[in-house]
Amino acid sequence: MATIGILNLQGDVSEHFEITKQALDEMNVNAKVLKVKNPEYLLKCDAIIISGGESTVIGKLMEKTGIGKLIVDKKIPVMGTCAGMVLLAKKTDYEQPLLGLIDMEVKRNAFGRQKASFEKIIEIFGHKFEGIFIRAPYIEKVGKSVDILSIYNEKIIAVKSGKHIATAFHPELTGDTRIHKYFIKEALNCAE
Ligand code: GLN
């Protein structure tokens, strides 16, 4: 049976846990969801989701636990939302530990103070999606290996690279499972 891990170091972990369970139910895929706090649990996972939260804190804990290195070494597909997206980048405007799995440069807390949190309907996969942004980053630059999935206000807010997916917004807070399903389908190579 396949396992989808939710990195459980800091941030909105339970929201991802619930929506991933919901996505798997809807897809009728025989997989379970596991909260991951240590390398032993990570090794049981076929894919891992990194939540929103504080990317500096999550990054340091990933370094300390060895989880970060293991994700990279074992080539585990990653979905990162908000802080999770920051951690997937090769570079940000801060000094912080990163996984560097997606060839992109990210600017943190990038939508400005007044717009610290906002909701907007965005477009992804040719469909409308509720975009919830909370002190969100955006992507300033991508390399050739990166596919852009969504743009809002001329800023790149979602990308795919290999099996990795990153969004600046929080699909886990919407009850809409489409992006999670997309990631699971790509990561496990299964039909929806
Ligand atoms: N600003 C946070 C960071 O860069 C991300 C905020 C969030 O995940 N909601 O770490």
Side-chain angles (χ1 to χ4, degrees):
M1 198 203 287
T3 301
I4 310 289
I6 314 292
L7 187 68
N8 186 20
L9 297 175
Q10 192 265 339
D12 67 335
V13 176
S14 34
E15 287 81 354
H16 269 295
F17 186 82
E18 291 307 325
I19 200 165
T20 304
K21 272 211 303 214
Q22 192 188 328
L24 288 168
D25 279 353
E26 289 170 11
M27 292 167 82
N28 230 338
V29 170
N30 189 19
K32 59 177 189 292
V33 191
L34 182 69
K35 290 187 186 172
V36 173
K37 250 198 160 113
N38 57 44
E40 290 72 35
Y41 273 44
L42 180 70
L43 287 173
K44 299 178 200 278
C45 298
D46 302 281
I48 183 101
I49 296 178
I50 306 180
S51 65
E54 275 310 322
S55 60
T56 319
V57 175
I58 301 173
K60 283 183 184 158
L61 290 170
M62 279 204 292
E63 203 172 55
K64 195 170 146 198
T65 54
I67 287 177
K69 184 173 179 326
L70 208 53
I71 290 175
V72 176
D73 288 353
K74 297 279 172 196
K75 298 190 166 57
I76 299 174
V78 182
M79 170 171 168
T81 62
C82 203
M85 175 173 106
V86 172
L87 289 160
L88 277 164
K90 273 211 171 7
K91 196 171 167 211
T92 74
D93 51 339
Y94 284 71
E95 271 299 313
Q96 64 185 119
L98 299 169
L99 296 175
L101 288 170
I102 300 184
D103 186 9
M104 62 179 176
E105 269 182 55
V106 165
K107 186 171 165 58
R108 289 177 62 188
N109 308 316
F111 286 94
R113 264 199 207 163
Q114 319 241 294
K115 282 195 171 176
S117 296
F118 59 99
E119 294 184 29
K120 277 277 175 253
I121 299 297
I122 56 126
E123 233 186 82
I124 188 161
F125 311 130
H127 296 283
K128 306 245 178 285
F129 197 94
E130 186 187 357
I132 300 179
F133 295 81
I134 304 168
R135 292 188 306 112
Y138 61 64
I139 299 162
E140 291 193 294
K141 233 193 211 172
V142 293
K144 283 203 184 75
S145 57
V146 180
D147 295 325
I148 295 171
L149 300 179
S150 184
I151 290 180
Y152 164 71
N153 256 1
E154 294 171 14
K155 309 294 185 204
I156 304 170
I157 53 163
V159 292
K160 174 179 190 303
S161 175
K163 293 190 169 190
H164 307 306
I165 290 183
T167 69
F169 50 94
H170 291 269
E172 73 279 14
L173 302 180
T174 62
D176 188 330
T177 53
R178 285 177 292 165
I179 297 179
H180 284 74
K181 281 183 188 164
Y182 179 82
F183 172 62
I184 293 164
K185 207 171 74 176
E186 294 286 309
L188 302 186
N189 248 331
C190 61
E192 204 174 304

